[in-house]
Amino acid sequence: MSQAPQENLAQQDNTQRFIEITGDDLPLHCPTPEMIAWNSHPRVFLDVAKTGEAMCPYCGTTFRLLGGPVKHGH
């Protein structure tokens, strides 16, 4: 009998409710690539650049952009 492959330890279960992200993670969508796919919902893009924080309307996970809102200059 073969054993199921081990899950990637870098993957996050979809029960984590607070995730800090960086500018490298933009554009942000939930579920993220690190979340376990079998427990996912439809992909939704979240705008964290404006306020520095966004909550997924499907799973309630809150994402916080490290460094706060993105400031745009002229």
Side-chain angles (χ1 to χ4, degrees), residues 1-15:
M1 179 184 256
S2 65
Q3 293 181 344
Q6 290 185 340
E7 292 179 20
N8 181 351
L9 296 179
Q11 286 187 328
Q12 301 168 351
D13 67 19
N14 293 14
T15 60

Side-chain angles (χ1 to χ4, degrees), residues 43-73:
R43 182 182 291 182
V44 60
F45 284 85
L46 304 168
D47 183 9
V48 296
K50 190 179 293 183
T51 64
E53 191 170 294
M55 185 175 81
C56 175
Y58 287 101
C59 66
T61 299
T62 299
F63 295 88
R64 181 170 294 152
L65 182 61
L66 293 175
V70 177
K71 294 178 176 65
H72 296 283

Side-chain angles (χ1 to χ4, degrees), residues 29-51:
H29 57 82
C30 186
T32 64
E34 294 81 23
M35 291 180 170
I36 299 170
W38 63 265
N39 195 19
S40 296
H41 52 69
R43 182 182 291 182
V44 60
F45 284 85
L46 304 168
D47 183 9
V48 296
K50 190 179 293 183
T51 64

